[in-house]
Amino acid sequence: MKAYLTRRYWFSASHRLHNEAMSAKENQEVYGKCNNPHGHGHNYALEVTVGGQVDPRTGMVCNLVDLDLFVQEKILERFDHQNLNTLSEFQRVVPTTENLCVEVFGILEQGFRHAQVEKIRVEETMLNSFEYAGGRAIRF
Amino acid sequence: MVYLTRKAEFSASHFYHNPEFTPEENQRVFGKCNNPNGHGHNYTLEVTVKGQVNRHSGFVVDLKQLKDIMNREVIDAMDHRFLNKEVAEFKDAIPTTENLAISIWRRLQPKLKLAELHRVRVYETPDLFVDYYGEA
């Protein structure tokens, strides 16, 4: 039986949405207050969905301890309490939550070996969220 | 096709233990979930059904009927119960959230005559949930 397990994590980070290729006026028009020069922060909620056959010996898709450890070491320690604009992955990419989703999904897909990484979802605030499944269709 | 989701809540206790494992293996695999006296959660169940909207009623499914089926098949059987000891399918299977979602699907699916079951989602805590779509 294939099931999908989703775990929710939290991290806090700051960012500024600004594209060097655009004029100051364009940046202001596109990004609004997200373009304020000193940046601002969010409490991000990250949902990681993994899928796989439920192991009859454990009743689990994967051991949560393994998922928690991977997310803690590879994602939360990388992004929590950081200014996203200072990180290498956002030197040429604007740290929108869309681009953050792509980065986080890539880390999971390349490194997590205990189950198939199906999808991630990032809530930037209670009012907006973004989902990415590595280009695959998102199933509801 | 329209999708409709109904929520319900139940509270239950469980523990994780595989009798084929040694005590050390059980402890290593299941950690504090292996404590033999169990522990509890407030579970939230979301049942999603899908179907065409009936032209006369405007409904995908009669919510009252769906609620009654969920109450009878799941909530009455599991609410304020020790899952390992009081729910038949967990005499043999470990009552993980994965197996709980599968068990709830199997309880509901044969009873739903009016709409097709799409997804069973079980939240063990607000930060952990399992989805089951009836897949083999």
Side-chain angles (χ1 to χ4, degrees), chain A residues 99-139:
Chain A
N99 284 332
L100 184 59
C101 276
V102 174
E103 287 297 328
V104 169
F105 188 88
I107 294 169
L108 282 157
E109 195 179 41
Q110 282 166 32
F112 188 67
R113 291 286 166 264
H114 298 278
Q116 175 76 38
V117 179
E118 300 281 349
K119 184 186 89 171
I120 66 157
R121 177 169 173 270
V122 177
E123 289 179 15
E124 186 183 69
T125 72
M126 283 171 62
L127 301 178
N128 61 32
S129 66
F130 304 81
E131 294 176 72
Y132 186 63
R136 295 191 299 272
I138 287 176
R139 179 187 205 177

Side-chain angles (χ1 to χ4, degrees), chain A residues 53-79:
Chain A
Q53 290 295 319
V54 178
D55 183 336
R57 297 177 322 129
T58 62
M60 297 171 172
V61 168
C62 77
N63 200 317
L64 271 179
V65 174
D66 295 322
L67 183 59
D68 285 353
L69 189 68
F70 184 90
V71 172
Q72 179 63 38
E73 284 184 352
K74 304 295 184 195
I75 296 168
L76 302 185
E77 285 180 18
R78 173 109 189 117
F79 297 115

